[in-house]
Amino acid sequence: MRTSGSVGEPPTLAIAEVRLTPVLIADPPLLNTQGVHQPYTPRLIIEVITADGTSGIGETYGDTRYLQLAAPLAAALPGHSVSDVNGLFTLAEQVCTDPSEVSDSVDVGGLRGVQTADKLRLSVISGFEVACLDALGKTLGLPVHGLLGGKVRDTVDYSAYLFYRLAEHPRGRGESDDWGAALDPAGVVAQARRFADTYGFGSFKLKGGVFPPDEEIAAVRALAEAFPGRPLRLDPNGAWSVETSLYVARELAGVLQYLEDPTSTTARMAQVAAGTDMPLATNMCVTTFPEIEEAFAGKAVQVVLSDHHYWGGLRNTRELAAICRTFGVGLSMHSNTHLGISLAAMTHVAATVPNLDYACDSHYPWQSDEVITERHVFTDGRLTVCDRPGLGVELDRAALADLHRRWLDDDGTMRDRDDAAAMREADPHWTTPPVPRW
């Protein structure tokens, strides 16, 4: 096991301490095919402190299984160099044993397809890699995008992320907001107008798989009428059969920019792709490098939604982008329920990728909590790429302590995301729908 920095590197680059802080952040009652978001969702904040006191921060999923893997990696890192990010993978393989009870069910935290121990480990490594790059950038006086080869754009486009949603969480739990319910086309359009007016977003993605397909087709058509010429996307998270997917593709031909994960599995996606000219996107069947060959060779997807949490960090995201460019597959960026650390990391790596073909997703406007001192501000649907050293964000320790206290005070029901359990608060008979749902 490696326990020290590389030969010839200054001792100030050695990691002296690692801090893991699980938090619970408020989440609105957003609907998806599996249920509804819980009132609070877990995230993990990772902080690495070098020998000279420089602090680097990262963020990833905070569910119990991720914490089980993060703890031994954190314990093994003191003495490791922040510049040796390749070594994180070797170290993780040595010390991160498989978490208990890893299932073959869909990972609800990102609805990314089947959950495996390797995928969990990559998501944990991603947070540590970002923290190391943040610390290294601060030490060298370089922004993270400079460590990744330099930016090719000064701003990054983001898309409005629309959801069917309840007005409030079942039984009045969680934090309240003024968004109201969105359960029909009029509600979806009203939500989109607010996103456009407040943040300037020019493209819109609707999370589908909630209502029968004809109702969601009507919502997309209403968006097209309200925002003529704007790029639109629909993502039912694999809720449809091949036949239903082809039906929706026909009905929305010329309306959608792309259709995201209409059906589950690469084989089914390939069947849909063979029957339509509409581009198909995914963040479910292509989330690791071994999954690329089948999908690309079978022409199952035309757009991959990258996510540095899935792929093991920012450098792996750039490798994915290069592969997509080689095979002529489009590239966008997936979002989970995240805070500003992750959004900063997303923006840095997006700035370095030449073939970022579509605006990136982001849940960020939905999140009211924050652990950095200044919230990110979207202008005309874009974020300006930060040129300050590291990620360019600073930890708000008081806010972090408050959100960690919420995690400590929780009775355990919110420490693992479970959209079906949250839905049972409203409907005691709710069960996770079978796939395909329609």
Side-chain angles (χ1 to χ4, degrees):
M1 181 186 304
R2 299 187 63 165
T3 58
S4 62
S6 301
V7 174
E9 290 185 338
T12 54
L13 291 178
I15 296 172
E17 182 184 357
V18 179
R19 299 171 185 163
L20 302 180
T21 309
V23 297
L24 286 178
I25 63 173
D27 211 0
L30 309 178
L31 297 167
N32 59 47
T33 194
Q34 298 219 341
V36 64
H37 288 205
Q38 295 180 141
Y40 303 98
T41 197
R43 298 294 286 178
L44 174 63
I45 309 304
I46 300 165
E47 186 176 6
V48 299
I49 300 95
T50 63
D52 69 350
T54 301
S55 171
I57 53 177
E59 174 192 346
T60 190
Y61 295 104
D63 303 69
T64 302
R65 291 169 180 170
Y66 298 93
L67 298 182
Q68 289 173 342
L69 294 177
L73 183 55
L77 272 180
H80 191 92
S81 173
V82 292
S83 69
D84 186 15
V85 286
N86 283 336
L88 289 174
F89 293 86
T90 302
L91 194 61
E93 289 178 0
Q94 293 172 342
V95 303
C96 296
T97 57
D98 293 350
S100 60
E101 300 179 0
V102 170
S103 69
D104 60 358
S105 62
V106 170
D107 178 3
V108 180
L111 290 166
R112 64 182 293 189
V114 175
Q115 187 181 75
T116 68
D118 285 342
K119 289 181 179 180
L120 294 177
R121 186 164 54 243
L122 284 171
S123 293
V124 169
I125 291 171
S126 72
F128 283 87
E129 186 224 46
V130 168
C132 286
L133 291 175
D134 184 34
L136 180 61
K138 290 175 180 176
T139 299
L140 299 178
L142 294 173
V144 165
H145 64 73
L147 301 177
L148 299 174
K151 62 182 180 178
V152 297
R153 57 182 60 84
D154 293 320
T155 61
V156 174
D157 283 329
Y158 283 88
S159 176
Y161 207 151
L162 310 179
F163 282 83
Y164 292 107
R165 58 159 289 163
L166 306 177
E168 60 183 14
H169 283 286
R171 302 186 184 182
R173 303 179 68 186
E175 311 299 316
S176 61
D177 61 36
D178 62 354
W179 281 86
L183 300 170
D184 56 20
V188 170
V189 169
Q191 188 182 106
R193 288 195 188 282
R194 180 167 172 177
F195 270 113
D197 292 344
T198 305
Y199 305 105
F201 291 124
S203 59
F204 304 90
K205 169 178 168 175
L206 175 63
K207 177 66 73 176
V210 176
F211 295 111
D214 281 328
E215 295 185 33
E216 298 184 352
I217 290 170
V220 172
R221 286 176 174 161
L223 285 169
E225 182 177 353
F227 300 94
R230 302 287 184 89
L232 304 176
R233 311 162 186 176
L234 177 60
D235 172 21
N237 281 126
W240 303 334
S241 66
V242 170
E243 294 76 14
T244 299
S245 301
L246 288 169
Y247 167 73
V248 175
R250 288 193 301 271
E251 291 295 305
L252 293 178
V255 179
L256 288 180
Q257 184 181 44
Y258 59 67
L259 183 58
E260 181 181 339
D261 286 310
T263 192
S264 62
T265 78
T266 298
R268 288 175 179 163
M269 289 281 284
Q271 291 180 60
V272 177
T276 181
D277 292 329
M278 179 175 292
L280 302 185
T282 187
N283 72 269
M284 292 181 66
C285 61
V286 181
T287 62
T288 61
F289 288 105
E291 293 170 330
I292 289 176
E293 182 178 5
E294 179 187 3
F296 286 15
K299 301 186 183 303
V301 299
Q302 289 71 54
V303 183
V304 171
L305 277 73
S306 64
D307 187 321
H308 73 274
H309 305 89
Y310 290 1
W311 291 86
L314 308 185
R315 296 173 317 120
N316 276 3
T317 300
R318 283 183 46 80
E319 290 187 19
L320 168 66
I323 294 171
C324 288
R325 187 164 63 248
T326 300
F327 283 89
V329 173
L331 188 73
S332 185
M333 192 169 288
H334 167 260
S335 165
N336 53 42
T337 303
H338 60 80
L339 293 163
I341 299 172
S342 280
L343 184 56
M346 290 169 63
T347 303
H348 274 273
V349 69
T352 70
V353 174
N355 55 313
L356 189 67
D357 304 294
Y358 304 91
C360 304
D361 294 345
S362 179
H363 284 68
Y364 191 71
W366 288 112
Q367 313 312 142
S368 57
D369 289 325
E370 187 51 284
V371 294
I372 58 175
T373 55
E374 296 182 31
R375 285 188 67 89
H376 298 283
V377 178
F378 293 94
T379 303
D380 296 328
R382 296 166 170 255
L383 286 183
T384 299
V385 180
C386 183
D387 292 325
R388 294 193 296 271
L391 291 174
V393 298
E394 295 299 328
L395 203 55
D396 183 333
R397 296 195 179 278
L400 180 66
D402 287 343
L403 298 180
H404 179 53
R405 190 174 302 110
R406 182 187 285 163
W407 184 88
L408 291 172
D409 292 342
D410 179 64
D411 61 5
T413 57
M414 298 292 153
R415 293 186 182 182
D416 291 285
R417 179 173 163 180
D418 188 338
D419 291 0
M423 194 66 162
R424 283 193 290 273
E425 293 286 323
D427 178 4
H429 302 293
W430 177 268
T431 57
T432 302
V435 176
R437 187 175 178 182
W438 287 285

